[in-house]
């Protein structure tokens, strides 16, 4: 059965999934890049995201590998797609990832402003959904067929799906750094009342990997 998943989503020790003040030069906000030290050195990240050989194996890489398995579609928030706000000024911005994004499946981007789909290299097509989270999920599940749908972020998008108890399982990588401000994942969310519990955890030098599922 198809699941709605969050995978390899990194949080700071104080619960922030991105730093403040996202810009073109700081796509993860101020200090946000430091969250992802656990992933950027892995073989999976180097091969799938930056197209280079090498990288580490081990626990961190195994979680990175699992994050891409059996994914038939993605859902992203507008801020995950790019720094452009409001109406699309033109068609020039096509994401952070260049001509061949690492998704290779349909990606549904939540937005309030209509835009035509963007066909990219490698099988990625960005679709822009103005009908809200339920519409995006319905379209993503149809595109994924029997495979899972992965919510890539950002924080606000994951929070919307958690509030509706729509996420089936979630892998968080808790990085040993403090951000102090930014976008907080759990503020105002009563996770046990929403039906979630921690199912497993394992620590490495760069992150504590926490699995959250339904209670």
């Amino acid at each position: 059965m198809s699941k709605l998943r969050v995978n390899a989503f990194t949080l700071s020790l104080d619960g922030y999934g991105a730093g403040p003040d996202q810009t073109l030069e700081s796509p993860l906000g101020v200090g946000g890049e430091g969250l992802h030290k656990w992933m950027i050195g892995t073989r999976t990240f180097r091969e799938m995201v930056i197209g280079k050989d090498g990288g580490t194996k081990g626990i961190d890489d195994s979680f990175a590998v699992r994050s891409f398995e059996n994914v038939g579609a993605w859902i992203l928030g507008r801020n995950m797609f790019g720094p452009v706000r409001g109406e699309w000024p033109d068609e020039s911005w096509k994401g952070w990832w260049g001509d061949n994004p690492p998704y290779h499946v349909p990606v549904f981007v939540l937005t309030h402003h209509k835009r035509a789909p963007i066909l990219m290299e490698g099988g990625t097509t960005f679709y822009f959904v103005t009908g809200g989270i339920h519409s995006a999920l319905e379209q993503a599940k149809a595109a994924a067929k029997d495979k899972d749908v992965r919510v890539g972020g950002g924080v606000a998008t994951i929070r919307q799906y958690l509030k509706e108890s729509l996420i089936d399982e979630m892998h968080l990588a808790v990085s040993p750094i403090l951000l102090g401000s930014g976008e907080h994942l759990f503020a105002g969310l009563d996770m046990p009342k929403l039906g979630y519990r921690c199912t497993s955890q394992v620590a490495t030098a760069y992150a504590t990997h926490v699995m959250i599922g339904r209670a």
Side-chain angles (χ1 to χ4, degrees), residues 36-136:
H36 302 281
K37 190 174 181 180
W38 74 270
M39 178 181 275
I40 60 177
T42 64
R43 171 175 287 192
T44 299
F45 182 87
R46 289 180 62 84
E47 288 181 351
M48 297 194 70
V49 179
I50 62 177
K52 294 184 177 180
D53 294 330
T56 61
K57 296 184 180 179
I59 293 174
D60 289 329
D61 187 59
S62 70
F63 276 100
V65 170
R66 287 164 57 184
S67 73
F68 287 99
E69 291 177 341
N70 198 47
V71 175
W74 288 64
I75 296 173
L76 302 180
R78 170 78 178 262
N79 292 357
M80 268 296 277
F81 180 72
V84 182
R85 303 292 184 264
E87 294 282 353
W88 301 100
D90 52 47
E91 302 295 310
S92 61
W93 181 261
K94 297 181 180 179
W96 302 103
W97 310 276
D99 293 331
N100 191 354
Y103 301 106
H104 310 302
V105 293
V107 179
F108 296 86
V109 180
L110 292 163
T111 178
H112 295 295
H113 303 280
K114 292 182 178 180
R115 183 173 176 178
I118 307 173
L119 180 64
M120 306 293 287
E121 294 177 12
T124 300
T125 301
F126 292 111
Y127 297 94
F128 299 89
V129 181
T130 58
I133 64 168
H134 294 281
S135 176

